[in-house]
Structure formats: structure tokens, C-alpha cells
Amino acid sequence: MTRPFAMAGAIAGAELRLMLRSRLALVGVATLLLLSGIAAVTSAVQTASASATRAAAQAATDAQFQTQPDRHPHRMVHYGTYALRPVGPLAAFDSGVDAFTGTVLFLEGHRQNSATFGAARESSDLVRFGQLTPAFVLQTLAPLLLVFLGFAAVARERERGSLRALRSHGATAAGILAGKVLALGAVALLAMAPALVALLWSALRHPGEGGIAALIALAYAAYLLVWVIGITAVSALARTAQGALVALIAAWAIITVLVPRAAAGWAGVADPLPTRVDTEFAIAADLRRLGDSHNPDDKYFAAFKARILDRYGVTSTDDLPVNYRGLVAAEGERLTSELFANYAARADAIQRGQSARLQALGVISPALAVRQASMVGAATDLGTHLAFMNRAEAYRYDLIQRLNALQANQVSSADDGARSRDPLADQRTRISADFWKTMPQFHLAAPAPATRATAMLPALGLLGLWLAISALLLALARRTLDRTAE
């Protein structure tokens, strides 16, 4: 039982010694380790800086809101505030969609704004080709290194005629392939080392993230194992080393470059998202149909006024125990927010549909599967961004309605009606600045690790499928080697 394992170990050792004697292999490994190390350090520095900057900016904007002087509440509705998306706990490993979605949202009454300040919008077009992060190195560059180091692993033995020599010494086809897989797997493990250190560093800085970090590491280990097994199998199946190299380079380009980009384009065409301009026009048209809360003669708000008078048993808004203008503002905000929520829900559904299509295409590209698992685990995926947008909108609506309630209950109706022509009345409508300090502050926590782990399962399942496919390919290679030895 120990002889096959010993033989596989001996073959793996010989393969590794051959790599160590190859200047090209050493340069390739050193280059990847250098790139991976640079990616880990720069990504960690940039993420730490972004996290500190966003936290400071959020604290500053909260302080600015709370330190506003005595004002009319509706002025504060239009003054607004900002919500900044916190940096994901493992974003230093995989920045995900952060660069493309925007991280800052201006919150004000009557409007639902889009997130701004995405790095891809603010930087050069080079950012769109992919940021140099540990995740990018493992997804794209590490497989290419493995291709160059492993394409000739078996084909070379066949071309030199050394396969027969190995078989004459008792090596089976399975033992030869296992030895080659072990050797290339050791290189893959070495290539992962800097990225794993970066992942460990991120996990140590955020207690409770150790489990999800281990799951991300497992996903990348499975991904690179698919490449290791696939490269060894193709090397065994190809007639020549050159043929194996051409086939593997084509596979790398298709799997890591062509399919992910084509899939993103296809998802966008199959389930198109309306442009912001089109959405703004559609919302404006719907708002006109809903009614204008600033127009006292508007049909909808005339009916609203009748309901309010009936509820309080009075015949004039002047007799109401509350400020009618505050009630109108609250009703107008409710209507517009429902409209915004409907449009946002449609946009969310489209984007989630596009994301689901991309995830399903992990069937034809393990790079898509591992990318999805990585972003979900790092809390930098589309779902996390949409959760930020929805949380910010809920906060905006709550804040604006609190201010409208202040106008209804703290501002005299008579003063409110006269403030545009009476400076003293205008002064009396300005309520104490102490009210701004009672307003809640925006806060958003990343999804719990258990939630993210559950969301990673479909992508991990696809990686398991790819492992099974690569194992079948290796079994086919074993049969081919057995036949050539007969």
C-alpha cells in the first residue's frame, strides 16, 4: 500500500527539483510572489486608509448635522446629510464591486439619490481592468503561472521516452499523475501563501471573521486544485508539450478573461437596467401624476386635507391642533418614497437577476464561481451594496419624517403661514438646535459571517462540480497513459 504513495512522492520530488533547476520557473514563481506581496500590502494600506477616511467623513457629516443652528425643520429636510458605506471586513483581500458602485450617498427630502465616488469613476480606465488585489492575483495570474510550469509535466516525459522508464521501475499511470499533481499542487500552495497571509491579517483585525476567511481560503484552494488537476490531465492527453501549452493558454484566456467579461455583457443585455436618466424621467412623470405636496390646490392633497379635517372634527386647517403644513410634508414624503421604493425594488430585482445569471455561468468558468464566493465572503459583493442602498433609504425616510413631525408638532401653523412676510414669525418657526442632536445616526454593519457563509454555498457547489469534472479528466488521462504503455 505504501509503494504507490512512495512512488508518487518520488515523482513529485523529481518534478520539483526539475523546477528548481529551471531559471524560467524560478523567475515565474518569484514574479508571482512579488506581485502577490505587492497586492497584499498595497490593498491593505488602501483599504485601511479608505476605512479610516469613510469613518471620519461619516463622523464629520453627523457632527455637521447635529451642530446646525436653530432652523425651520423643513430647511433641515433640504439640508440633508450623507451616508457612507463602511469598508467590508475582508475588503483588503477582495475589493469586489466597491470601485464600481459608489460609496457615498446624499440623503435629502423629496429625492432618492445615487451613490457616488466609485474609484472606477474617479480614476483612470485602468481600474476597470481589475484592481491588483490578492484575490485578483489568485483568480487570474496564479493559474497562468501553473500553466507555464505544468504544461509539459507529462508530455515532456512522453516526448523524451522516460514514461516507459518510469513504468519499468514500477510506476503506474495513477502514480505518475499523482506525483505530477503533488508537485504542481505544492507550487500552487506556495503561490497562495502571500494572499493567505493577507487574508489572515484581515481576519485578525476583525474578530469573528476567522471562519469566513477560512472558507474563502478553501474556495481558492479548490479553484487552484481544479487548475492543477486540469493542467496535469491536459499534459497527459496532449500529443506534444507544445500542443498542451496552446490548449492550456486558450483555456486560461477563455476561463479567466473571455467568459467573465462576456458573461457580464450578456447578463446586461439579457436583463437590461434602465439608465439613470430614463429612470429620472419616469419618476418625474409619475410624481406629476401623484400630486404636488407644495401645491395647496392639488387634487390629491385637496382630498387629503378633507380627510384630515374630518379626522380632527374641524372645518379649517387653522383650527387643527397640529401644523397642517407638516402633515402635508409628511404625506408628500410618504408618497414620493413609495414611488422611489418601487423603482429601487425593480432596479434591485434586475441587478440581482444579472448577478444570478453570472453566478449560474460559473458552470462554464470556475473563475466566475470563485469570484462570487470571494466577494460574498469579503462582504464586497452586489448584495452588500444593495443592502447599503436600502438601509440608507430607510434611514433617509425615517430622518425626513422625524423632521416633518417636528414641523407638525413644534411649529405654529400661524407662524408657518406668515414666515415669508413676517420676520418675527419666521424667527419663531426656527426650533431649537437641540432637536438635531436627537436625530439617529446612520449605521450599517456587514452581513454576519454565518449569513455570508450560507450565501457562498452555491458558488462552493460549482467549485465542487469543477473538481469532479477535473477528476474525470484526470481519470481519462490515466486510461490514456495505460493504453500507451501497453
Side-chain angles (χ1 to χ4, degrees):
M1 289 295 290
T2 58
R3 181 174 172 73
F5 291 106
M7 183 60 72
I11 293 172
E15 187 71 16
L16 287 172
R17 286 193 292 274
L18 186 63
M19 290 183 191
L20 287 174
R21 290 197 295 271
S22 168
R23 185 174 300 176
L24 182 62
L26 291 177
V27 169
V29 172
T31 302
L32 184 76
L33 291 176
L34 181 62
L35 275 175
S36 191
I38 292 173
V41 172
T42 57
S43 186
V45 171
Q46 290 172 356
T47 303
S49 173
S51 180
T53 301
R54 292 185 201 176
Q58 186 67 70
T61 194
D62 290 341
Q64 285 176 353
F65 186 91
Q66 292 182 339
T67 55
Q68 287 299 298
D70 295 355
R71 286 182 185 275
H72 189 289
H74 201 68
R75 286 187 180 275
M76 293 300 288
V77 166
H78 288 284
Y79 179 78
T81 186
Y82 289 89
L84 289 92
R85 179 152 56 91
V87 176
L90 301 178
F93 177 78
D94 189 344
S95 58
V97 301
D98 273 19
F100 305 93
T101 54
T103 56
V104 181
L105 198 58
F106 178 52
L107 309 176
E108 59 178 329
H110 317 316
R111 288 186 60 81
Q112 187 183 62
N113 296 307
S114 300
T116 55
F117 292 103
R121 302 176 198 170
E122 311 300 327
S123 305
S124 70
D125 289 342
L126 290 177
V127 174
R128 297 179 184 276
F129 285 93
Q131 294 173 288
L132 186 61
T133 62
F136 174 77
V137 170
L138 291 183
Q139 290 168 16
T140 306
L141 302 183
L144 187 60
L145 173 71
L146 295 176
V147 165
F148 279 111
L149 293 183
F151 75 93
V154 182
R156 180 187 61 243
E157 306 283 4
R158 182 188 292 110
E159 289 178 344
R160 292 177 179 174
S162 51
L163 271 181
R164 292 184 181 280
L166 287 172
R167 300 300 294 267
S168 66
H169 284 82
T172 62
I176 294 171
L177 292 174
K180 301 297 183 182
V181 167
L182 282 174
L184 202 54
V187 175
L189 194 61
L190 179 63
M192 286 182 65
L196 290 180
V197 170
L199 193 58
L200 177 63
W201 178 82
S202 297
L204 290 175
R205 293 184 71 238
H206 297 87
E209 295 290 327
I212 198 73
L215 204 55
I216 293 174
L218 179 66
Y220 278 101
Y223 173 67
L224 292 183
L225 185 57
V226 167
W227 278 101
V228 167
I229 296 174
I231 290 167
T232 305
V234 170
S235 180
L237 291 169
R239 293 180 181 277
T240 63
Q242 186 177 10
L245 179 61
V246 171
L248 288 168
I249 289 292
W252 173 83
I254 292 171
I255 289 173
T256 65
V257 180
L258 183 61
V259 170
R261 280 154 180 74
W266 171 74
V269 171
D271 212 355
L273 184 68
T275 65
R276 186 66 192 175
V277 174
D278 290 340
T279 303
E280 292 281 0
F281 276 119
I283 289 176
D286 285 344
L287 285 175
R288 283 194 294 273
R289 283 192 289 271
L290 275 179
D292 183 0
S293 62
H294 289 83
N295 179 7
D297 298 323
D298 181 85
K299 186 177 179 181
Y300 175 85
F301 283 94
F304 173 75
K305 178 180 176 182
R307 290 199 303 273
I308 293 296
L309 295 179
D310 183 63
R311 181 190 305 169
Y312 285 94
V314 297
T315 58
S316 170
T317 55
D318 294 336
D319 299 328
L320 288 170
V322 295
N323 184 350
Y324 177 67
R325 287 176 177 78
L327 298 182
V328 169
E331 178 65 7
E333 194 63 43
R334 184 187 70 78
L335 290 175
T336 54
S337 294
E338 282 184 358
L339 186 64
F340 294 148
N342 288 336
Y343 275 92
R346 289 179 219 166
D348 284 8
I350 292 173
Q351 291 179 85
R352 291 185 191 280
Q354 292 176 345
S355 181
R357 289 176 188 275
L358 281 177
Q359 184 168 324
L361 288 175
V363 172
I364 59 174
S365 170
L368 281 173
V370 77
R371 181 176 302 176
Q372 181 67 17
S374 180
M375 289 192 300
V376 170
T380 57
D381 62 319
L382 176 66
T384 304
H385 170 69
L386 295 180
F388 160 70
M389 295 295 289
N390 293 329
R391 176 72 187 89
E393 170 56 18
Y395 172 79
R396 183 198 72 83
Y397 180 71
D398 177 71
L399 177 68
I400 299 303
Q401 292 299 57
R402 286 171 183 262
L403 294 170
N404 288 331
L406 286 177
Q407 183 181 2
N409 299 305
Q410 302 295 330
V411 178
S412 160
S413 178
D415 288 339
D416 214 8
R419 67 188 177 95
S420 61
R421 57 181 183 278
D422 182 354
L424 293 177
D426 179 57
Q427 192 67 32
R428 288 193 296 272
T429 61
R430 300 181 185 187
I431 66 174
S432 170
D434 291 338
F435 283 110
W436 318 142
K437 296 182 177 62
T438 65
M439 296 293 143
Q441 297 181 356
F442 179 75
H443 176 71
L444 177 70
T451 304
R452 281 179 274 154
T454 302
M456 288 174 68
L457 290 180
L460 293 176
L462 286 174
L463 287 173
L465 174 66
W466 274 99
L467 275 175
I469 293 172
S470 60
L472 289 174
L473 193 62
L474 194 65
L476 179 63
R478 175 189 174 184
R479 291 180 58 185
T480 302
L481 283 185
D482 280 335
R483 282 199 300 271
T484 55
E486 292 173 352

